[in-house]
Amino acid sequence: MTSKAQSTALQTEVPNRLLAELQALVDAGWSRNLDEIVLDALRRYAESHRQELMEEFLREDVEWGLRGSD
């Protein structure tokens, strides 16, 4: 028995130029479809904005502020 991950459909507006660029990537074989590209972009965004990472950046900013200008 295979389990399918639950998902939710999203609707958004994309500038025509960006959509054309993304479709060109699909047509060139870099991705199977537009959905795959959007999911990859959302995953990468979430990974780069994780809570721990944001807290680390905040700590670094506070330390820099306490030391004064370099």
Side-chain angles (χ1 to χ4, degrees):
M1 179 163 126
T2 61
S3 65
K4 183 177 179 182
Q6 291 183 346
S7 62
T8 301
L10 297 177
Q11 181 177 338
T12 189
E13 292 186 22
V14 178
N16 292 338
R17 186 173 180 177
L18 176 58
L19 182 59
E21 289 180 33
L22 297 174
Q23 187 60 55
L25 291 171
V26 172
D27 295 344
W30 288 100
S31 183
R32 288 183 293 175
N33 54 48
L34 290 171
D35 288 344
E36 189 175 83
I37 291 175
V38 172
L39 286 173
D40 185 49
L42 290 171
R43 274 189 213 99
R44 288 172 185 243
Y45 183 88
E47 287 171 1
S48 69
H49 290 79
R50 296 244 186 262
Q51 185 68 31
E52 306 84 44
L53 184 60
M54 299 308 289
E55 289 174 0
E56 177 62 29
F57 289 152
L58 182 60
R59 277 192 291 278
E60 290 173 4
D61 286 348
V62 168
E63 284 183 34
W64 179 85
L66 290 174
R67 287 193 312 264
S69 338
D70 290 335

